[in-house]
């Protein structure tokens, strides 16, 4: 047996799949225990706690509750609802459990990726375990494995995009007859746009590709319905900002900063942040 055949046999093995899954689960749990809080953890945690107690996006400043509009609200709302579920289950929210939602998101992201690979490769009668195992190995050496532990919205945005692709593939595989899959794809792509401005760029490209393909095939009404459903989450967020105008707009524009990047720098920043490719390096003096 050649080296190539041996590598393929190992990658196609279920034992390899289960071992890599166990390794990722161990790393997720261990990282949650051993890693110190990231700089962004405090802000996203405090604002989500504000939603837990007041069901509004904001935080307490002394005895006064102040609304905040410096970020898009979807991640904060969903994490706040998760904290509410934890409180109903009498799970204490402390330094070991405040990242529990992020841990579950990473696991759900892996499972969604496996399922997407499965439904794509099984159609061509290929062993999807090879691609799942390759994905876990490659993912472990990317910047994602170093930056996904912070309590930030990027993992949720990627998860929503994967869900949109899963439902679109299922719609394609059922000969485009089930409108439920098609509309679920639109909803998840729309939700990803409301997680972070970074995903407006990525989800926007997928949206226009799907629209272009449907219009080319003559599915005009479905294309209109798809765009209407996809922009529904965006319109809700826009309404939320306009309902608190002008304070909301001033805060949001203030969070963007005064520096005006060049056209290409803006796209590079969106791409780098959306795929967690890192930014400026940091050093810690001991």
């Amino acid at each position: 047996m050649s080296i190539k055949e041996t590598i393929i046999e190992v990658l196609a093995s279920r034992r390899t799949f289960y071992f890599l899954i166990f390794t990722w689960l161990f790393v997720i749990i261990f990282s949650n225990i051993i890693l110190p809080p990231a700089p962004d953890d405090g802000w996203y945690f405090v604002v989500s706690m504000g939603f837990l107690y007041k069901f509004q996006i904001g935080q307490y400043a002394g005895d006064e509750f102040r609304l905040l509009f410096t970020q898009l609200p979807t991640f904060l709302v969903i994490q706040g609802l998760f904290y509410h579920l934890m409180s109903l289950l009498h799970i204490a929210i402390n330094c070991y459990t405040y990242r529990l939602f992020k841990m579950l998101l990473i696991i759900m992201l892996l499972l969604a990726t496996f399922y997407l690979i499965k439904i794509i490769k099984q159609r061509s009668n290929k062993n999807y375990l090879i691609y799942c195992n390759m994905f876990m190995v490659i993912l472990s050496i990317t910047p994602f494995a170093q930056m996904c532990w912070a309590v930030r919205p990027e993992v949720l945005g990627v998860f929503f995009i994967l869900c949109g692709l899963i439902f679109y593939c299922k719609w394609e595989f059922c000969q485009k007859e089930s409108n439920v899959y098609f509309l679920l794809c639109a909803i998840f792509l729309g939700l990803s746009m409301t997680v972070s401005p970074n995903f407006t760029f990525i989800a926007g490209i997928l949206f226009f590709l799907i629209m272009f393909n449907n219009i080319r095939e003559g599915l005009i009404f479905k294309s209109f319905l798809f765009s209407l459903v996809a922009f529904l989450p965006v319109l809700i967020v826009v309404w939320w900002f306009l309902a608190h105008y002008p304070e909301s707009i001033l805060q949001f524009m203030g969070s963007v900063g005064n520096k005006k990047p060049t056209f290409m720098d803006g796209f590079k920043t969106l791409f780098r942040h959306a795929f967690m490719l890192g930014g400026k390096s940091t050093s810690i003096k001991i």
Side-chain angles (χ1 to χ4, degrees), residues 126-175:
K126 293 184 178 180
N127 190 342
Y128 69 94
L129 287 178
I130 297 178
Y131 301 94
C132 292
N133 292 333
M134 288 178 60
F135 168 76
M136 284 189 282
V137 172
I138 295 174
L139 188 66
S140 66
I141 59 176
T142 62
F144 176 88
Q146 301 175 356
M147 303 184 65
C148 66
W149 315 112
V151 180
R152 289 186 55 84
E154 282 80 9
V155 174
L156 180 63
V158 176
F159 175 72
F160 281 156
I161 288 179
L162 282 176
C163 289
L165 292 176
I166 287 172
F167 286 117
Y168 182 77
C169 289
K170 293 181 77 67
W171 180 66
E172 286 274 358
F173 295 163
C174 68
Q175 306 299 323

Side-chain angles (χ1 to χ4, degrees), residues 258-269:
N258 297 323
K259 183 180 178 181
K260 296 182 179 180
T262 62
F263 182 78
M264 288 306 299
D265 286 342
F267 278 104
K268 290 178 181 177
T269 301

Side-chain angles (χ1 to χ4, degrees), residues 39-54:
D40 292 331
D41 286 9
W43 191 90
Y44 286 100
F45 169 72
V46 169
V47 178
S48 294
M49 290 294 290
F51 187 83
L52 166 64
Y53 291 113
K54 300 287 291 185

Side-chain angles (χ1 to χ4, degrees), residues 160 163-172 174 176-191 207 210-211 214 221-233:
F160 281 156
C163 289
L165 292 176
I166 287 172
F167 286 117
Y168 182 77
C169 289
K170 293 181 77 67
W171 180 66
E172 286 274 358
C174 68
K176 300 183 178 181
E177 294 180 356
S178 176
N179 291 327
V180 175
Y181 291 143
F182 191 57
L183 296 181
L184 284 174
C185 170
I187 289 174
F188 278 107
L189 286 182
L191 284 173
F207 170 80
I210 293 173
M211 289 286 291
N214 289 335
F221 177 74
K222 285 190 175 182
S223 299
F224 171 76
L225 190 61
F226 183 85
S227 60
L228 184 64
V229 174
F231 279 103
L232 184 60

Side-chain angles (χ1 to χ4, degrees), residues 4-206:
K4 179 181 178 180
E5 292 175 342
T6 303
I7 294 175
I8 293 177
E9 183 180 354
V10 171
L11 289 175
S13 171
R14 286 191 175 273
R15 292 183 178 180
T16 303
F17 178 76
Y18 293 141
F19 172 77
L20 291 175
I21 283 287
F22 173 79
T23 303
W24 266 99
L25 290 176
F26 174 79
V27 170
I28 291 172
I29 297 173
F30 180 77
S31 299
N32 179 70
I33 297 173
I34 200 68
L35 288 179
D40 292 331
D41 286 9
W43 191 90
Y44 286 100
F45 169 72
V46 169
V47 178
S48 294
M49 290 294 290
F51 187 83
L52 166 64
Y53 291 113
K54 300 287 291 185
F55 286 99
Q56 297 185 66
I57 307 297
Q59 66 181 36
Y60 279 98
D63 294 331
E64 180 185 0
F65 187 83
R66 296 181 178 177
L67 297 177
L68 295 177
F69 305 93
T70 54
Q71 298 287 340
L72 296 181
T74 303
F75 174 76
L76 301 169
V77 170
I78 295 177
Q79 182 169 247
L81 292 174
F82 184 81
Y83 287 159
H84 183 67
L85 177 63
M86 289 176 62
S87 65
L88 293 178
L89 298 175
H90 302 289
I91 301 175
I93 302 175
N94 52 41
C95 60
Y96 294 108
T97 60
Y98 81 95
R99 281 189 288 206
L100 184 59
F101 177 65
K102 190 59 178 289
M103 294 168 60
L104 292 177
L105 270 182
I106 297 173
I107 295 173
M108 291 166 59
L109 180 65
L110 291 175
L111 295 177
T113 305
F114 298 154
Y115 188 68
L116 180 61
I117 294 173
K118 180 180 179 180
I119 61 177
I120 292 176
K121 293 303 177 182
Q122 280 192 337
R123 191 182 186 187
S124 56
N125 295 322
K126 293 184 178 180
N127 190 342
Y128 69 94
L129 287 178
I130 297 178
Y131 301 94
C132 292
N133 292 333
M134 288 178 60
F135 168 76
M136 284 189 282
V137 172
I138 295 174
L139 188 66
S140 66
I141 59 176
T142 62
F144 176 88
Q146 301 175 356
M147 303 184 65
C148 66
W149 315 112
V151 180
R152 289 186 55 84
E154 282 80 9
V155 174
L156 180 63
V158 176
F159 175 72
F160 281 156
I161 288 179
L162 282 176
C163 289
L165 292 176
I166 287 172
F167 286 117
Y168 182 77
C169 289
K170 293 181 77 67
W171 180 66
E172 286 274 358
F173 295 163
C174 68
Q175 306 299 323
K176 300 183 178 181
E177 294 180 356
S178 176
N179 291 327
V180 175
Y181 291 143
F182 191 57
L183 296 181
L184 284 174
C185 170
I187 289 174
F188 278 107
L189 286 182
L191 284 173
S192 67
M193 297 182 191
T194 65
V195 171
S196 172
N198 304 326
F199 292 97
T200 304
F201 174 67
I202 300 172
I205 292 177
L206 293 174

